[in-house]
Amino acid sequence: MFRIRHSLAHVSPASRPGILAAVLDALPEQMRDAAIRKLVRDAMSKAHIPGIVCRPTGPCPDGGGQLGFAFPFRHGAERVRAAVPVRRGQVTAFFTPYEVMERALILGASLHPALPEIARIGAVTGVEIGLIGSAALQTVTGLPYLRPGSDIDLVVRADSLPPLAAAARALERLSYRQAIAIDAEADLAGGIGVKLTELVSGAATVLGKTITGVELIERERLNTLFAVPSQGRAAPQHPIKQPERKRQWM
């Protein structure tokens, strides 16, 4: 099963027609008109929209998982999106949020004015910051996912709570100064994600999300999830060699 939530997955050229058909079938009923379907076809065939690794909502092939596909256009106020099961062999490369952030920082303020300051917060606090959501999709596709006032969605990780608390305070100040919403999820050992503000609140229990579901985590157990050093975390799922991976950015 695909286990690294929020990672972007590029599908193989041979798999695109089948996945496109599945995405079209999975669109919400209100988004199945001819105009939307044409936009989806064009985006997936020409722009090679990546999928987002997400929690399965139904059966998936052995070794595979579920990918969500989100598009840079909307139906009314809703972003057009759909999620489909895929086989492991249909994916040529995965990119973690941290790799996407490295790419985004090359674009810097031209992608979003808050990015340079977010990078500085990571450097000062010692917290590794990854990029997800609309900003991540715009980074890898060049398509206009971001709109004025768009939220910035992040994942953050560190080996103890104090750096994460410092980053949470700094991100809150940045959000206030630039009048933008910044939503950060702490990336803990075992593939557990916890909303950063909830993690640093001192609450006795927090809601943890994994690739298989959600669970309430007691603070005593939560503290043990910082014991795994960064180099001991699960390695990103990269099924192709680095030179080939670089071509996926093109």
Side-chain angles (χ1 to χ4, degrees), residues 1 10 14 48 58 65 68 71 90 100 103 107 111 117 119 141 151 173-174 214 217 222 224 232 235:
M1 177 186 290
H10 286 279
H48 302 162
F71 299 93
Q90 292 177 298
V100 175
R103 176 69 176 184
L107 303 173
L111 177 67
E117 180 63 15
T141 66
D151 296 357
R173 292 192 295 268
L174 175 62
V214 296
I217 304 173
L222 191 67
T224 70

Side-chain angles (χ1 to χ4, degrees), residues 202-227:
T205 59
V206 298
L207 185 68
K209 298 180 180 180
T210 69
I211 197 67
T212 58
V214 296
E215 59 178 309
L216 282 175
I217 304 173
E218 299 288 338
R219 177 65 57 174
E220 182 177 352
R221 179 193 166 207
L222 191 67
N223 291 336
T224 70
L225 298 178
F226 298 104

Side-chain angles (χ1 to χ4, degrees), residues 72-250:
F73 39 83
R74 296 172 182 262
H75 180 273
E78 294 183 82
R79 184 176 296 285
V80 176
R81 65 181 73 217
V84 298
V86 299
R87 300 188 308 276
R88 179 65 180 79
Q90 292 177 298
V91 176
T92 58
F94 293 88
F95 294 91
T96 69
Y98 307 101
E99 293 175 303
V100 175
M101 177 61 92
E102 289 177 6
R103 176 69 176 184
L105 292 176
I106 297 173
L107 303 173
S110 65
L111 177 67
H112 194 284
L115 275 182
E117 180 63 15
I118 289 172
R120 191 191 72 80
I121 289 170
V124 168
T125 60
V127 169
E128 190 174 6
I129 299 179
L131 189 65
I132 60 177
S134 295
L137 289 169
Q138 184 159 321
T139 296
V140 300
T141 66
L143 298 176
Y145 281 87
L146 292 171
R147 305 190 300 175
S150 287
D151 296 357
I152 292 293
D153 298 309
L154 307 170
V155 292
V156 297
R157 65 186 180 190
D159 293 332
S160 61
L161 185 58
L164 290 172
R169 292 190 296 269
L171 289 171
E172 183 179 16
R173 292 192 295 268
L174 175 62
S175 175
Y176 179 78
R177 287 200 311 273
Q178 296 202 13
I180 57 170
I182 299 176
D183 187 14
E185 178 180 285
D187 176 14
L188 304 179
I192 298 172
V194 175
K195 190 174 179 64
L196 180 60
T197 53
E198 187 175 351
L199 177 68
V200 303
S201 69
T205 59
V206 298
L207 185 68
K209 298 180 180 180
T210 69
I211 197 67
T212 58
V214 296
E215 59 178 309
L216 282 175
I217 304 173
E218 299 288 338
R219 177 65 57 174
E220 182 177 352
R221 179 193 166 207
L222 191 67
N223 291 336
T224 70
L225 298 178
F226 298 104
V228 180
S230 296
Q231 60 268 28
R233 296 179 187 272
Q237 305 170 63
H238 300 328
I240 62 176
K241 296 178 181 179
Q242 189 65 25
E244 294 169 311
R245 284 169 50 73
K246 288 181 179 178
R247 288 199 289 273
Q248 297 289 339
W249 293 117
M250 305 303 290

Side-chain angles (χ1 to χ4, degrees), residues 24-25 27 31-41:
L24 290 171
D25 287 344
L27 287 171
M31 298 181 184
R32 295 185 182 180
D33 61 82
I36 291 293
R37 290 170 69 86
K38 182 180 186 306
L39 287 171
V40 170
R41 286 193 191 94

